[in-house]
């Protein structure tokens, strides 16, 4: 998971890109970067840290021009080195090229070994650099055809924004794993991971970039082409975007994220109802589902857990030691809400179980009589190879223990998950074969290579 932005048109494109990255900060907190194209060429500023900390007035003195692309990085363990910060900016035989990537290329290790045998030199461990090499080596005359030539060799998930000497380009893989939307600014265009980025900079949402589509923007306007002439893959957008990762005020995959999560909570109450006094969310991502649960169960909704907004999201912090410490920093319980109550606590997912265990203990410590944990998605039992940093199967508690064993571990009075069918029903997926990628719950990967990817040293973009 990462957040990407591209803007063409306004004179202060970099500053608008900065604001849009603010709106996408939830998609990555490891690093941020912007490349701008101005009269004196391309300029880049990127560093580890949050968007507000990475950029200052001095950096924008260099980031001049009416075109810019930006990136907020979410890395896997070991992948947060400064060299991996995006957008990547390189010089090729055809001029400067900048690229930012959201997703994960599951065959990048094989591609990298082949490139190295041919003499390519790598400066990072990122799969995105492999893509840059492929694009720089492509021979077709038109840029869009060179992009096709490069992407024909890769397998996996990618939403990309690319900037060269005369245009911006956005592209989504044919599966459509990761989101990308198109917006219109006064005098220009925007490509971004989510619609919440458009709202902040007052851009009009036009449409989603289609899976397998190339959108090119230059001084003459905008045009669309197919990445492949006939889509050879069924669309498989990531259902976890709707469960957890996208911001609730965004529209993703033609659905309101908030409405989808509210419906998940309602379905969760239908499937797993229990006698209780109040419903409490794990903030912030559990709030819409908890509201839906309370609505369907006709129970009071209470903010019994308060979150500090001055620390990062524990799920995307790469070190386990930080994750454990972060729970205490991030959440605190409200005794007056909990004392003597039978509490249904709703969260969006349960990955390792360590956070849930600490939350249950916290609620009991302030006087909760019973704690019933409800999860608004099925158990996570398989790793994701398409851009979300779920752990290996050995670290996933759902892959190692039964629901009853997990309940014992987190010390809850009861534990229940939303069913797979209930989740798909909640997001309006009427396809009997299920049009969303749910491999983290089922192990049914869209790519055959993903089944062996755990044995490859793959780092996500």
């Amino acid at each position: 998971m990462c957040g990407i932005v591209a803007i063409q048109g306004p004179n202060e494109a970099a500053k608008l890109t900065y604001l849009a990255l603010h709106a996408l900060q939830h998609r990555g907190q490891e690093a941020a970067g912007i490349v701008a194209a101005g009269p004196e060429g391309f300029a880049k500023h990127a560093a580890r840290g949050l968007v507000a900390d990475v950029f200052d007035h001095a950096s924008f003195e260099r980031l001049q021009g009416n075109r810019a692309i930006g990136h907020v990085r979410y890395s896997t363990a070991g992948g947060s080195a400064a060299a991996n910060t995006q957008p990547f900016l390189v010089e090729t035989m055809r001029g400067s090229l900048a690229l930012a990537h959201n997703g994960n290329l599951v065959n990048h290790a094989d591609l990298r070994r082949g490139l190295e045998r041919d003499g390519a030199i790598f400066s990072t461990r990122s799969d995105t650099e492999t893509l840059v090499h492929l694009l720089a080596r492509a021979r077709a005359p038109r840029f869009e055809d060179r992009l096709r030539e490069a992407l024909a060799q890769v397998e996996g998930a990618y939403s990309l924004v690319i900037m060269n000497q005369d245009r911006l380009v956005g592209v989504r893989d044919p599966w459509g794993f990761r989101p990308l939307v198109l917006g219109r600014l006064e005098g220009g265009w925007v490509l971004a991971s989510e619609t919440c980025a458009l709202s902040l900079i007052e851009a009009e949402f036009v449409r989603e970039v289609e899976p397998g589509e190339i959108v090119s923007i230059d001084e003459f306007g905008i045009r669309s082409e197919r990445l492949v002439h006939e889509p050879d893959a069924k669309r498989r957008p990531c259902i976890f975007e709707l469960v957890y990762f996208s911001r609730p005020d965004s529209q993703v995959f033609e659905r309101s994220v908030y409405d989808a999560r509210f419906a998940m909570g309602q379905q969760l109450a239908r499937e797993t109802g229990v006698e209780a006094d109040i419903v409490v969310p794990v903030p912030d991502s559990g709030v819409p589902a908890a509201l839906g649960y309370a609505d369907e169960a006709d129970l009071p909704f209470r903010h019994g857990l308060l979150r500090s907004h001055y620390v990062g999201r524990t799920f995307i912090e790469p070190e386990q030691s930080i994750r454990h410490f972060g729970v205490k920093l991030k959440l605190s319980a409200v005794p007056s809400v909990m004392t003597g109550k039978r509490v249904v606590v709703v969260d969006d997912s349960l990955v390792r179980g360590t956070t849930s265990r600490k939350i249950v203990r916290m609620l009991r410590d302030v006087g909760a009589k019973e704690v019933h944990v409800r999860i608004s998605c099925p158990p996570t039992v398989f790793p994701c190879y398409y851009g979300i940093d779920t752990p290996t199967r050995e670290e996933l508690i759902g892959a190692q223990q039964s629901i009853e064993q997990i309940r014992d571990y987190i010390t809850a009075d009861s534990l229940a998950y939303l069913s797979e069918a209930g989740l798909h029903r909640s997001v309006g997926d009427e396809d009997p074969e299920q049009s969303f990628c749910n491999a983290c719950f089922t192990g049914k990967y869209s790519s055959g290579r993903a089944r062996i990817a755990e044995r490859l040293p793959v780092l996500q973009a």
Side-chain angles (χ1 to χ4, degrees):
M1 293 305 310
C2 295
I4 56 176
V5 179
I7 293 180
Q8 162 113 351
N11 287 328
E12 294 188 322
K15 289 184 177 179
L16 288 173
T17 301
Y18 165 81
L19 292 173
L21 290 178
H22 259 292
L24 297 175
Q25 186 74 85
H26 62 287
R27 297 187 68 87
Q29 299 177 346
E30 291 292 330
I34 293 174
V35 174
E40 299 181 6
F42 284 29
K44 173 179 175 177
H45 183 81
R48 295 183 63 183
L50 302 178
V51 174
D53 298 325
V54 168
F55 299 96
D56 56 21
H57 291 291
S59 59
F60 287 110
E61 289 296 320
R62 297 172 49 247
L63 296 171
Q64 299 294 321
N66 68 347
R67 291 185 296 137
I69 66 173
H71 187 268
V72 285
R73 179 172 176 75
Y74 158 96
S75 69
T76 59
S80 59
N84 291 326
T85 57
Q86 295 189 35
F88 285 159
L89 174 60
V90 297
E91 294 298 324
T92 75
M93 61 183 295
R94 297 180 178 88
S96 299
L97 177 74
L99 183 148
H101 173 205
N102 172 206
N104 186 44
L105 309 181
V106 298
N107 67 331
H108 102 95
D110 289 342
L111 291 171
R112 178 171 177 139
R113 283 191 288 267
L115 288 164
E116 287 173 334
R117 283 194 295 268
D118 288 344
I121 298 173
F122 288 78
S123 59
T124 77
R125 297 177 61 215
S126 170
D127 59 342
T128 308
E129 189 179 10
T130 301
L131 183 55
V132 171
H133 275 281
L134 294 175
L135 188 53
R137 290 174 175 228
R139 300 297 185 186
R142 293 178 66 243
F143 179 80
E144 289 81 1
D145 292 330
R146 294 198 296 275
L147 184 59
R148 288 188 181 91
E149 186 180 328
L151 293 177
Q153 302 174 66
V154 307
E155 188 174 347
Y158 54 84
S159 285
L160 305 169
V161 288
I162 307 167
M163 182 168 65
N164 66 7
Q165 298 293 95
D166 58 5
R167 76 195 71 185
L168 290 179
V169 175
V171 60
R172 277 178 82 192
D173 66 72
W175 301 97
F177 285 113
R178 298 286 151 227
L180 190 64
V181 297
L182 174 68
R184 190 195 307 272
L185 274 169
E186 184 176 350
W189 297 91
V190 185
L191 293 161
S193 292
E194 295 181 33
T195 56
C196 63
L198 306 182
S199 301
L200 181 60
I201 61 174
E202 299 182 342
E204 175 192 359
F205 171 63
V206 176
R207 62 177 178 87
E208 292 191 0
V209 176
E210 291 291 316
E213 181 184 13
I214 303 172
V215 174
S216 299
I217 305 168
D218 58 23
E219 61 180 316
F220 302 107
I222 184 169
R223 63 183 180 276
S224 169
E225 303 178 23
R226 294 299 305 176
L227 181 61
V228 290
H229 292 300
E230 294 294 334
D232 58 358
K234 182 179 179 180
R235 297 184 182 189
R236 298 285 285 173
C238 171
I239 203 165
F240 210 64
E241 289 275 358
L242 295 170
V243 170
Y244 173 79
F245 230 99
S246 295
R247 225 170 74 168
D249 55 334
S250 285
Q251 177 177 314
V252 170
F253 309 140
E254 300 179 347
R255 291 161 173 82
S256 161
V257 176
Y258 180 92
D259 290 350
R261 291 178 187 167
F262 190 90
M264 291 172 203
Q266 290 178 310
Q267 184 65 24
L268 185 63
R270 296 184 196 110
E271 294 181 1
T272 70
V274 64
E275 289 190 8
D277 300 309
I278 59 174
V279 178
V280 169
V282 176
D284 287 326
S285 54
V287 171
L291 284 165
Y293 189 106
D295 178 78
E296 183 67 25
D298 196 23
L299 288 171
F301 172 91
R302 295 290 184 267
H303 282 291
L305 286 166
L306 300 182
R307 180 191 170 203
S308 168
H309 290 266
Y310 303 101
V311 293
R313 291 165 65 168
T314 60
F315 181 68
I316 67 171
E317 291 168 356
E319 298 297 335
Q320 186 74 3
S321 59
I322 297 175
R323 183 178 296 111
H324 284 179
F325 190 48
V327 175
K328 295 180 180 180
L329 283 174
K330 185 171 100 168
L331 294 175
S332 60
V334 183
S336 63
V337 172
M338 299 295 180
T339 302
K341 297 294 196 302
R342 298 171 298 174
V343 181
V344 174
V345 59
V346 178
D347 205 354
D348 57 86
S349 57
L350 197 161
V351 180
R352 295 174 178 88
T354 52
T355 298
S356 298
R357 180 181 172 94
K358 290 178 180 294
I359 288 172
V360 172
R361 184 180 305 165
M362 190 184 301
L363 300 187
R364 293 199 192 281
D365 286 346
V366 297
K369 182 180 177 181
E370 296 176 8
V371 180
H372 302 277
V373 176
R374 295 295 181 267
I375 306 299
S376 60
C377 71
T380 303
V381 293
F382 291 91
C384 176
Y385 300 118
Y386 303 124
I388 292 181
D389 184 23
T390 48
T392 62
R393 289 206 76 191
E394 289 72 23
E395 297 175 276
L396 289 169
I397 194 170
Q400 304 302 317
Q401 300 184 30
S402 68
I403 292 178
E404 190 63 23
Q405 289 172 323
I406 299 170
R407 184 202 66 78
D408 289 342
Y409 173 74
I410 66 175
T411 71
D413 291 281
S414 71
L415 168 66
Y417 295 80
L418 182 60
S419 69
E420 181 189 337
L423 175 60
H424 283 268
R425 189 176 302 117
S426 300
V427 300
D429 188 358
E430 304 297 337
D431 189 333
E433 296 183 3
Q434 298 176 342
S435 58
F436 281 85
C437 178
N438 58 8
C440 51
F441 309 132
T442 67
K444 298 176 182 176
Y445 295 102
S446 300
S447 162
R449 279 187 180 270
R451 300 186 185 95
I452 64 169
E454 193 169 357
R455 300 197 296 271
L456 302 177
V458 176
L459 292 181
Q460 295 169 352

